[in-house]
């Protein structure tokens, strides 16, 4: 869907992203980089129909048409906050003609605020809210190399989130709710082996997939 936005607010977010402490090697830094404002210039200029018509007049003969390209700005922001947030970390990089696994630890919190990465007109955020909070409930970890390895998971056993059910089933906007992590017990699952673990153990894992549920 293409919408014409006010250029003054088109790149505004629910919360000031410049005040975000996006430490390098953290999930916040990853999101900040993924949603950064990009300038499209030179060979990346944008084809502008309005500029073309202003310069050459209305379209007549398609074969002989000429186009005007203009500098532009591009930014990817969240326009609809999902009930369940799934973050997939890129765990490989190109090394010559080969792919190499990235084993670096990426810091991630139990509660994350997506407001700095949401458009100011995010569709399912109550007016006046400047926070879009999510609580971690699942992590997938991969050990090994690009050629072989083993997947394990961390999952939190917790009570049912009725507010989340309303959001999923009825599409309701969430009002002010708790801002702390959903209480529960974490478990490490490796094939048929399941063991209770601490939250600190989960947060120190080498995450490949992160699963968050919406709180606010």
């Amino acid at each position: 869907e293409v919408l014409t936005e006010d250029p003054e607010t088109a790149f505004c977010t629910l919360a000031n992203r410049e005040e975000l402490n996006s430490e390098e090697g953290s999930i916040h830094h990853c999101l900040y980089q993924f949603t950064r404002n990009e300038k499209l210039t030179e060979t990346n200029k944008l084809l502008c129909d309005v500029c073309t018509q202003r310069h050459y007049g209305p379209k007549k003969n398609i074969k002989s048409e000429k186009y005007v390209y203009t500098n532009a700005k591009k930014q990817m922001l969240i326009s609809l906050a999902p009930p369940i947030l799934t973050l997939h970390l890129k765990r490989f990089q190109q090394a010559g003609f080969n792919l190499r696994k990235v084993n670096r630890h990426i810091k991630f919190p139990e509660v994350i605020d997506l407001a700095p990465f949401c458009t100011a007109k995010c569709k399912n955020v109550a007016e006046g809210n400047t926070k879009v909070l999510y609580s971690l409930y699942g992590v997938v970890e991969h050990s090994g190399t690009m050629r072989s390895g083993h997947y394990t998971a961390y999952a939190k056993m917790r009570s049912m989130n009725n507010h989340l059910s309303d959001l999923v089933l009825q599409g309701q906007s969430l009002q002010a709710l708790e801002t702390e992590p959903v209480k529960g017990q974490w478990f490490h699952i490796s094939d048929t082996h399941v063991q209770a673990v601490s939250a600190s153990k989960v947060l120190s894992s080498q995450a490949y997939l992160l699963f968050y549920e919406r709180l606010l």
Side-chain angles (χ1 to χ4, degrees), residues 8 11 25 44 55 59 63 88 119 121 145-146 155 158-159 173 179 186 193 203 206 208 211-212:
E8 295 297 322
F11 297 94
N44 290 321
H55 192 273
K59 296 180 180 180
K63 293 183 179 179
H88 183 183
T119 175
K121 297 181 180 179
T145 66
M146 292 293 294
R158 66 217 185 280
S159 58
S173 295
T179 58
W186 281 100
H193 181 70
L203 297 179
Q206 191 184 105
Y208 178 58
F211 298 91
Y212 288 87

Side-chain angles (χ1 to χ4, degrees), residues 84-200:
I84 299 297
L85 173 68
T86 304
L87 299 178
H88 183 183
L89 300 180
K90 183 181 177 182
R91 282 288 180 186
F92 66 90
Q93 66 182 47
Q94 192 78 30
F97 294 101
N98 300 315
L99 292 177
R100 182 173 59 190
K101 184 184 175 185
V102 176
N103 291 308
R104 183 180 183 181
H105 173 68
I106 300 298
K107 295 181 181 179
F108 54 95
E110 281 198 83
V111 174
I112 190 170
D113 185 6
L114 275 195
F117 316 110
C118 291
T119 175
K121 297 181 180 179
C122 200
K123 297 173 185 176
N124 58 347
V125 175
E127 187 175 354
N129 277 5
T130 57
K131 289 184 178 295
V132 184
L133 301 180
Y134 288 80
S135 178
L136 183 72
Y137 74 89
V139 178
V140 173
E141 183 178 36
H142 178 268
S143 58
T145 66
M146 292 293 294
R147 294 183 177 277
S148 65
H150 182 55
Y151 289 96
T152 57
Y154 293 92
K156 178 186 278 189
M157 180 178 288
R158 66 217 185 280
S159 58
M160 183 175 179
N161 185 337
N162 292 320
H163 300 292
L164 184 64
S165 300
D166 292 339
L167 180 65
V168 173
L169 299 176
Q170 302 176 30
Q172 297 177 354
S173 295
L174 295 180
Q175 301 300 322
L177 302 175
E178 65 276 6
T179 58
E180 296 298 319
V182 175
K183 293 181 180 180
Q185 173 63 56
W186 281 100
F187 289 90
H188 182 232
I189 303 132
S190 177
D191 294 334
T192 59
H193 181 70
V194 179
Q195 180 183 13
V197 294
S198 64
S200 60

Side-chain angles (χ1 to χ4, degrees), residues 13 15 20 57 67 74 87 150 158 164 167 183 204 213 216:
T13 52
L20 183 68
Y67 301 97
K74 170 190 171 184
L87 299 178
H150 182 55
R158 66 217 185 280
L164 184 64
L167 180 65
K183 293 181 180 180
S204 66
E213 59 185 330
L216 176 64

